[in-house]
Amino acid sequence: GVGGILGLGLLGVGAHATFTPSATAHQTISSGTLGLVLFSPTAAETGNTTNNLTLDPITTSGATFIQQERIGVKNAGTDPIKSFTVTTSANPTNGLATNVMACVTYDGTSTVLYTGPAHAVHVVQAHTVTSGHFVPLRIQLYAGTVNTNCGTKTGPGLPATALGQSSTFTMRVVGTG
């Protein structure tokens, strides 16, 4: 009766109200981790199982040499890695470091990923690495005429000014998921 008429008066003629039930939704979204590391069977190497791995130092008294390192690019995270890049740097950048060459292949194959100056290695791989898995690589550091996984390399060898010097090469890996 009267309450209904008063209610119409408050709303006004032609006015209306729409009532909807309230709705809520809840969804948990979680993400994994990207965790790309380098590792080597030589546990003495600095940075083993990090993204910066310092290889065994090079000290040579001869103009011709070859030094091999087995390394792996491992996904220590939970999300798959879609591609990775491996680069190097030398310390110190002396006559030895600037004259050392590098051959990078998949370990156990002759598939060449890089051949050129060791201080400028740049390997980009569109290679999916799932969690807990790794890609085995081999890097050969050399000077002079030597047989490598990249083939026979013919070079002049180290200059006399580089003999007796020491240098280390650090490999770095970064990846994208």
Side-chain angles (χ1 to χ4, degrees), residues 14-96:
H16 68 278
T18 304
F19 298 97
T20 58
S22 66
T24 58
H26 181 351
Q27 180 178 3
T28 302
I29 299 174
S30 61
S31 62
T33 58
L34 296 176
L36 207 54
V37 298
L38 292 167
F39 71 93
S40 169
T42 307
E45 292 176 335
T46 304
N48 210 359
T49 68
T50 70
N51 67 333
N52 288 297
L53 178 67
T54 301
L55 303 177
D56 293 332
I58 296 173
T59 303
T60 182
S61 57
T64 299
F65 77 95
I66 186 167
Q67 178 175 313
Q68 300 187 62
E69 301 277 352
R70 290 178 54 226
I71 61 169
V73 176
K74 181 179 181 180
N75 183 351
T78 58
D79 286 348
I81 302 295
K82 301 293 185 195
S83 68
F84 63 87
T85 302
V86 177
T87 57
T88 58
S89 61
N91 184 26
T93 306
N94 56 22
L96 175 61

Side-chain angles (χ1 to χ4, degrees), residues 1-174:
V2 176
I5 294 173
L6 288 176
L8 284 176
L10 290 174
L11 288 174
V13 178
H16 68 278
T18 304
F19 298 97
T20 58
S22 66
T24 58
H26 181 351
Q27 180 178 3
T28 302
I29 299 174
S30 61
S31 62
T33 58
L34 296 176
L36 207 54
V37 298
L38 292 167
F39 71 93
S40 169
T42 307
E45 292 176 335
T46 304
N48 210 359
T49 68
T50 70
N51 67 333
N52 288 297
L53 178 67
T54 301
L55 303 177
D56 293 332
I58 296 173
T59 303
T60 182
S61 57
T64 299
F65 77 95
I66 186 167
Q67 178 175 313
Q68 300 187 62
E69 301 277 352
R70 290 178 54 226
I71 61 169
V73 176
K74 181 179 181 180
N75 183 351
T78 58
D79 286 348
I81 302 295
K82 301 293 185 195
S83 68
F84 63 87
T85 302
V86 177
T87 57
T88 58
S89 61
N91 184 26
T93 306
N94 56 22
L96 175 61
T98 58
N99 285 286
V100 173
M101 302 300 284
C103 163
V104 181
T105 60
Y106 289 118
D107 192 25
T109 75
S110 59
T111 303
V112 177
L113 303 175
Y114 175 86
T115 184
H119 66 275
V121 169
H122 191 90
V123 174
V124 179
Q125 288 295 292
H127 190 103
T128 299
V129 185
T130 56
S131 179
H133 291 88
F134 71 96
V135 177
L137 302 176
R138 179 176 301 261
I139 183 169
Q140 295 171 303
L141 304 172
Y142 65 91
T145 300
V146 295
N147 291 320
T148 71
N149 288 353
C150 297
T152 300
K153 297 299 181 178
T154 304
L158 294 174
T161 56
L163 299 179
Q165 293 181 340
S166 180
S167 192
T168 57
F169 290 87
T170 298
M171 301 194 79
R172 177 172 170 76
V173 66
V174 294

